[in-house]
Amino acid sequence: MLTTMSMKNAYLLSVMDDLKVKSAHEPEFLQAVEEVLESLEPVVETDPRYERQNIIGRMVEPERVVMFRVPWVDDGGKVQVNRGYRVQFNSAIGPYKGGLRLHPSVNLSVIKFLGFEQVFKNSLTTLPMGGGKGGSDFDPKGKSDGEVMRFCQSFMTELQRHIGPDTDVPAGDIGVGAREIGFLFGQYKKIRNEFTGVLTGKGLSYGGSLARTEATGFGLCYFADAQLRDNGQSFAGKRVVISGSGNVAIYANQKCVQLGGKVIAMSDSNGYIVDENGIDYKVIQEIKEVKRDRIKTYLDYVPSARYVEGCSGIWTVPCDIAMPCATQNEIGENSAKTLIANGCIGVFEGANMPSTPGAIAAYQAAGILFSPAKASNAGGVATSGLEMSQNSERLSWTFEEVDAKLKGIMEGIYAACAAAAEKYGMKGNIQAGANIAGFLKVADAMLWQGI
Ligand code: NDP
């Protein structure tokens, strides 16, 4: 017996043990699976079909994994090679859907954990989207536009064989924003000679959706607001710390302030800034989206602010609400305990799997509010789903229309997670509720479709 978890169900334990052998070198993937399987215990025990049909064993195995060579020429004329990935995890409820990540830390374990999470997240949105994820260990930081374009063209030259508007629809993630999506779309169109909604997060002039850029950050705040209100709280007057300063973090800041909160700290991978007067998201937008510069240059705009080298110290800044919006495992057990000791009442996840299992245990022991990423950051993919709908209709909806739908979806996800948690005897445990509600729809579709 390899397992050390609190899980007791023999079927779930055997699936997990098997996976630990087969995926021994994939720690992030194992972490994500273990977290979900622990929540599914009461579900599996009340419906024998899941074990009989080996639904869990099938769900932890991706339907397809594509790994490929990505050669490209740098500005000096030298040939560089990166590794590309697309993991098509589960298509039971719709075409594979999930972002592409470009970051030196990308490997198969990271992409599999993200793809696995995506299956449950997409199910929670209630839209017809399966789960997938992709990316490369290419680092766009410090590269010229020409280098990024040549990389994206080479990446898509292979990826285009595996995707399509009814098969697999990638989007952005860390390191993939409007610039990269544009280059990827241009290459797809050139090779396939078709103008389709094969990617989301597109520019507005060629099929993008209004409010997609803001969607993950806005959605996170709509979700957090619903959870806070359900617990007799609100954003009003709260001191908020947001890690990261990318797409999710910037728009989480904007919506948080609109809802009455004050964002006092933000970060990038080098360090963090603290501004007790509140950080204006437009300044961060200018630094990160326009100038592609480092967050420490915030001091050029607001000299009274403070910059601290090293990103993990951001969780020592006393706050009421923490929103991790940078990357996986960025809050460990010690950081979680520091947040709690400093009076934090809730952690709402914008990044994927930003809290380690030790951190989650600390939140639960302290009884603070916690929203798991697969529920609270689902607004991005939900709005990607809305972009796909608009592309199919050949129509564009207004910002207000999309934003209203996003808000409704996020409130619906919160309600579904809360209801599932209560139904299975874990009232208030939104983490378990998210795993269960996300699972049930996918599992039901798999049962209907046979093996
Ligand atoms: P961006 O590339 O726009 O921004 C990422 C931010 O996180 C940057 O500030 C970056 O700093 C920081 N960061 C990245 N890697 C690390 C690291 N290893 N250590 C410390 N800081 C790091 O990405 P997004 O905002 O799109 O994504 C952020 C998170 O949100 C990811 O977990 C992603 O999977 C998740 N997410 C994104 C969605 C979207 O729609 N974009 C949807 C759902 C989830 P630096 O600039 O120094 O690299």
Side-chain angles (χ1 to χ4, degrees):
M1 183 71 56
L2 302 169
T3 311
T4 53
M5 321 159 281
S6 58
M7 220 151 54
K8 291 186 187 59
N9 179 275
Y11 168 54
L12 292 174
L13 284 168
S14 78
V15 171
M16 196 66 225
D17 281 350
D18 233 33
L19 201 66
K20 283 184 174 174
V21 174
K22 279 197 208 164
S23 304
H25 303 293
E26 297 171 357
E28 293 86 356
F29 176 53
L30 291 174
Q31 181 184 334
V33 172
E34 192 160 332
E35 189 265 315
V36 170
L37 264 48
E38 282 181 345
S39 312
L40 295 183
E41 209 150 24
V43 183
V44 167
E45 278 170 6
T46 49
D47 191 335
R49 292 176 307 164
Y50 300 132
E51 180 173 353
R52 209 168 44 231
Q53 297 289 327
N54 197 7
I55 290 289
I56 312 289
R58 284 151 64 191
M59 280 179 91
V60 301
E61 196 61 38
E63 289 175 17
R64 191 172 298 105
V65 174
V66 188
M67 280 173 63
F68 49 100
R69 178 206 297 163
V70 190
W72 55 279
V73 181
D74 69 19
D75 286 346
K78 243 178 103 188
V79 176
Q80 304 285 345
V81 184
N82 286 96
R83 186 172 290 177
Y85 303 86
R86 187 70 185 167
V87 173
Q88 298 180 328
F89 226 107
N90 193 309
S91 61
I93 62 168
Y96 309 107
K97 180 91 196 87
L100 297 171
R101 175 176 292 191
L102 298 182
H103 193 272
S105 62
V106 163
N107 57 37
L108 187 58
S109 173
V110 168
I111 299 298
K112 279 177 72 177
F113 115 66
L114 290 164
F116 182 74
E117 288 276 295
Q118 198 80 44
V119 174
F120 298 84
K121 180 185 314 195
N122 293 3
S123 165
L124 285 171
T125 67
T126 71
L127 302 175
M129 299 180 292
K133 198 82 187 189
S136 171
D137 56 0
F138 173 81
D139 187 0
K141 224 178 288 169
K143 303 288 191 305
S144 69
D145 286 351
E147 289 177 322
V148 171
M149 180 180 76
R150 290 191 292 279
F151 169 84
C152 288
Q153 290 175 337
S154 178
F155 186 85
M156 184 53 87
T157 300
E158 173 60 31
L159 187 68
Q160 58 86 24
R161 294 175 220 285
H162 311 286
I163 62 174
D166 297 316
T167 311
D168 183 354
V169 184
D173 191 77
I174 290 178
V176 177
R179 173 180 62 171
E180 292 74 17
I181 292 289
F183 294 147
L184 291 163
F185 184 80
Q187 184 74 352
Y188 181 89
K189 187 163 63 64
K190 195 182 292 176
I191 298 177
R192 300 283 289 256
N193 193 26
E194 56 185 41
F195 194 112
T196 55
V198 68
L199 291 161
T200 57
K202 298 185 291 297
L204 294 177
S205 56
Y206 64 97
S209 172
L210 284 160
R212 173 61 188 91
T213 307
E214 293 84 353
T216 310
F218 277 25
L220 167 63
C221 293
Y222 291 142
F223 188 100
D225 189 46
Q227 193 170 356
L228 284 163
R229 281 188 285 111
D230 199 26
N231 288 276
Q233 296 276 357
S234 78
F235 269 106
K238 298 288 189 305
R239 289 159 58 88
V240 182
V241 167
I242 298 179
S243 65
S245 46
N247 173 266
V248 181
I250 289 172
Y251 299 99
N253 174 327
Q254 184 185 1
K255 184 53 69 181
C256 173
V257 172
Q258 283 173 7
L259 292 170
K262 182 157 86 167
V263 179
I264 51 162
M266 292 183 77
S267 61
D268 62 17
S269 55
N270 291 116
Y272 65 96
I273 50 162
V274 182
D275 182 351
E276 291 291 342
N277 294 319
I279 298 167
D280 182 351
Y281 82 94
K282 290 205 191 85
V283 176
I284 305 295
Q285 213 178 20
E286 161 94 8
I287 294 170
K288 288 290 173 180
E289 290 181 353
V290 181
K291 296 190 171 160
R292 296 185 186 279
D293 211 336
R294 308 311 298 161
I295 204 157
K296 70 173 165 210
T297 62
Y298 184 81
L299 302 193
D300 299 342
Y301 299 81
V302 185
S304 61
R306 192 158 58 88
Y307 173 73
V308 183
E309 198 66 30
C311 54
S312 59
I314 191 168
W315 308 118
T316 62
V317 177
C319 63
D320 303 305
I321 290 173
M323 291 186 161
C325 295
T327 194
Q328 64 268 13
N329 291 328
E330 54 170 310
I331 305 186
E333 187 177 342
N334 289 340
S335 296
K337 286 182 172 161
T338 305
L339 279 169
I340 294 160
N342 285 336
C344 179
I345 62 159
V347 177
F348 303 100
E349 295 188 335
N352 282 308
M353 204 169 75
S355 307
T356 63
I360 296 173
Y363 309 149
Q364 283 167 346
I368 66 168
L369 301 179
F370 169 57
S371 78
K374 63 171 74 66
S376 50
N377 75 15
V381 73
T383 309
S384 279
L386 302 178
E387 182 173 331
M388 289 164 75
S389 301
Q390 293 169 78
N391 291 163
S392 299
E393 291 191 318
R394 303 273 199 273
L395 288 174
S396 299
W397 306 337
T398 63
F399 186 98
E400 289 69 26
E401 237 174 315
V402 180
D403 189 35
K405 284 190 166 66
L406 168 65
K407 186 163 185 277
I409 289 171
M410 298 313 295
E411 290 172 349
I413 296 175
Y414 176 71
C417 296
E422 189 165 1
K423 181 171 173 199
Y424 286 92
M426 292 176 279
K427 190 171 185 317
N429 185 341
I430 300 304
Q431 180 200 9
N435 290 334
I436 293 169
F439 167 80
L440 288 173
K441 182 177 173 191
V442 178
D444 187 58
M446 289 174 75
L447 287 171
W448 278 104
Q449 291 169 22
I451 59 165

